[in-house]
Amino acid sequence: MNIQKSIHYFQEAQRLLPGGVDSPVRAFKAVGGQPLFIERGEGPYLFDVDGNRYIDYVLSWGPLITGHAHPKVIEAIQEAAVKGTSYGAPSPLEVELAKRVIDFMPNIEMLRFVNSGTEATMSALRLARAYTQRDKIIKFEGCYHGHADMLLVQAGSGVVTLGLPDSPGVPADTVKDTLVATYNDIASVEALFKKYPEEIAAIIVEPVAGNMGVIPPVKGFLEGLKKLTTEYGAILIFDEVMTGFRVHKGGAQTLYNIQPDLTTLGKVIGGGLPVGAYGGKREIMQMVAPAGPMYQAGTLSGNPLAMVAGIAALDLICDQKVWDEMEARGKQLDAGIESAAKRAGVPVTQTRVGTMRTIFFSETQPRDWNSVKGADKVRFGKFFRKMLENGVYLAPSQFEAGFLSITHDRNVIAATISAAEKSMMAL
Ligand code: KE4
């Protein structure tokens, strides 16, 4: 596979950008080899600067559920762009996208748009602390909620991929109120509430963990979180930046029928442009300035280009038939990977919830960060590189999720399966 131009660009990029990338997990550090520099995307495909084509299962780390450069999304952006790129004032587009998000997730009564998932989670936690007048928060080992200081504690995704001891530069004082529990272990949460009955402002949880690979909640886990937060007067925050519009049309809160007090969103709602959001109960959201005293702001929040891209994307996935088709494609890929692994005699377990999936090189089904650590990362790295050679672009880390789009049709999945058969045999 000729990747000479990528090699050249990476050399140049490493002089100008730390690690040659603008987000760590893109650097392929966990899987070896060097990152490919991308020329363009189209539907389910990425094309690198050397003209190689890949079936893409990263999809910009989740946002591109409509595939790359969907004509309707591009057209919406083009039409909006000629009217200007940012107004710095309210526009009907923010109202239109907010209405659509709330249609999909009726448990959200009011929301605020921001520019990333990190902004969404840090703002939701500030709001929970303002509303409860408490300081402590609970997160889960292996879960990732963006790179706000208070959340870089035993975080997943790129932090764990790079084996970082929770980033330097975060003052101990900033994380002294961040408590860490074990995902899928409700007793570990209860113990923290028993220890700090009046001090915990919120739990923030990925309702389906996606940043240690995809780990679904065990029966009763989310219900237990809802019960504990209600009992102790804390706020339950579902971080649906990744699971929103991914695990179900209505997100994890609809799939598992749990009503979080606040929800954070990102990725899909921007249609590939920078958008995050936090929202939930009106009574809580009314605390956000200028309606209330809790301050949060953003120059480009509600940006018209990002709004129209999000509107176009959500309009393309509002029909249940679209979700039924993606579920069928997910099942097709599950079966294909399973039979490829069996034929090659490679121990593999797969987790999938809706359009989010992970292949673990492990005999057992991981259920938390501890069990995920047992997966064979070296073998995952080999598989990743083989799949790349065979024209399939997976997430470059065992601790990430893979994604499907509406453009991953039966033939694209079949091509992925034959690439997997070849790759598994070479492990
Ligand atoms: P951003 O600030 O990257 O838009 O969103 C942060 C975030 C918040 N919550 C969850 C559940 C998330 O998964 C993320 C970001 N996801 C990672 C992928 N695991 C983004 C990819 C990257 O860091 O480059």
Side-chain angles (χ1 to χ4, degrees):
M1 194 167 82
N2 168 26
I3 60 166
Q4 286 313 307
K5 285 186 184 160
S6 278
I7 292 170
H8 161 72
Y9 278 115
F10 192 46
Q11 278 160 357
E12 199 173 7
Q14 287 179 91
R15 279 191 310 105
L16 304 166
L17 310 170
V21 292
D22 283 317
S23 198
V25 70
R26 303 178 190 169
F28 282 21
K29 276 221 177 308
V31 292
Q34 71 128 54
L36 300 170
F37 279 62
I38 302 304
E39 172 81 22
R40 68 185 179 93
E42 186 185 327
Y45 301 112
L46 276 176
F47 297 83
D48 70 17
V49 289
D50 291 288
N52 302 302
R53 188 189 79 168
Y54 309 91
I55 299 172
D56 181 18
Y57 285 92
V58 179
L59 293 171
S60 182
W61 301 93
L64 302 178
I65 196 162
T66 59
H68 289 279
H70 191 288
K72 286 206 171 4
V73 174
I74 300 304
E75 188 187 326
I77 296 170
Q78 286 169 331
E79 273 173 25
V82 295
K83 296 180 195 169
T85 56
S86 177
Y87 308 137
S91 83
L93 298 170
E94 296 152 77
V95 173
E96 284 310 309
L97 184 55
K99 277 187 202 164
R100 283 166 174 77
V101 171
I102 294 169
D103 276 352
F104 276 89
M105 296 183 159
N107 188 49
I108 297 175
E109 296 172 336
M110 178 177 265
L111 59 83
R112 163 66 61 85
F113 289 115
V114 293
N115 298 286
S116 69
T118 295
E119 270 191 87
T121 57
M122 63 187 262
S123 306
L125 285 164
R126 183 183 307 140
L127 176 56
R129 286 169 157 166
Y131 185 77
T132 60
Q133 296 177 29
R134 298 176 181 179
D135 293 340
K136 290 191 184 330
I137 60 172
I138 295 176
K139 77 173 289 290
F140 293 88
E141 195 181 17
C143 285
Y144 177 74
H145 304 286
H147 64 88
D149 279 358
M150 65 186 143
L151 287 164
L152 283 181
V153 179
Q154 298 177 58
S157 182
V159 182
V160 76
T161 293
L162 301 176
L164 297 173
D166 297 328
S167 182
V170 177
D173 257 8
T174 310
V175 295
K176 70 177 174 29
D177 290 318
T178 302
L179 308 173
V180 182
T182 303
Y183 195 78
N184 275 331
D185 174 355
I186 200 66
S188 71
V189 184
E190 187 155 23
L192 291 172
F193 275 106
K194 287 209 163 82
K195 191 170 176 191
Y196 306 104
E198 315 270 320
E199 299 177 56
I200 296 170
I203 292 176
I204 185 164
V205 66
E206 292 182 58
V208 174
N211 287 291
M212 38 181 156
V214 175
I215 304 282
V218 298
K219 193 154 179 40
F221 177 59
L222 298 177
E223 293 78 357
L225 298 183
K226 179 68 184 172
K227 181 168 169 293
L228 284 169
T229 47
T230 305
E231 199 177 315
Y232 285 89
I235 299 286
L236 178 58
I237 301 174
F238 269 16
D239 177 358
E240 296 225 42
V241 167
M242 190 188 287
T243 56
F245 313 95
R246 275 281 169 202
V247 298
H248 182 282
K249 183 179 162 189
Q253 54 198 264
T254 305
L255 178 63
Y256 297 106
N257 190 23
I258 301 274
Q259 288 69 43
D261 302 300
L262 292 176
T263 300
T264 53
L265 297 169
K267 296 182 191 275
V268 168
I269 60 169
L273 270 67
V275 179
Y278 62 104
K281 287 185 177 148
R282 184 178 302 279
E283 175 203 349
I284 303 175
M285 290 303 293
Q286 287 288 28
M287 279 207 77
V288 178
M294 188 222 98
Y295 196 71
Q296 176 269 314
T299 302
L300 293 172
S301 299
N303 172 278
L305 302 193
M307 294 294 106
V308 295
I311 290 166
L314 295 192
D315 284 353
L316 284 162
I317 59 168
C318 57
D319 186 333
Q320 184 56 40
K321 284 204 292 293
V322 167
W323 292 90
D324 298 343
E325 176 59 21
M326 285 196 286
E327 181 58 24
R329 300 287 67 77
K331 285 194 168 76
Q332 181 192 354
L333 187 53
D334 294 345
I337 296 286
E338 191 181 344
S339 71
K342 271 210 178 73
R343 199 171 307 156
V346 174
V348 153
T349 55
Q350 297 182 78
T351 49
R352 180 173 66 83
V353 185
T355 67
M356 277 170 56
R357 61 182 312 109
T358 297
I359 301 169
F360 288 104
F361 285 82
S362 143
E363 305 267 2
T364 53
Q365 183 80 31
R367 54 166 280 153
D368 57 20
W369 171 236
N370 246 340
S371 44
V372 158
K373 273 191 297 195
D376 184 341
K377 289 180 294 194
V378 173
R379 207 163 208 181
F380 178 87
K382 272 181 81 176
F383 181 64
F384 171 85
R385 292 190 299 277
K386 282 290 166 206
M387 286 292 267
L388 217 47
E389 282 167 31
N390 289 311
V392 176
Y393 194 102
L394 300 176
S397 163
Q398 174 71 92
F399 308 123
E400 289 292 352
F403 302 95
L404 277 184
S405 84
I406 61 175
T407 64
H408 284 68
D409 64 20
R410 201 184 291 277
N411 296 334
V412 169
I413 301 294
T416 306
I417 292 167
S418 67
E421 283 161 354
K422 278 185 254 169
S423 305
M424 289 276 185
M425 293 308 271
L427 289 187

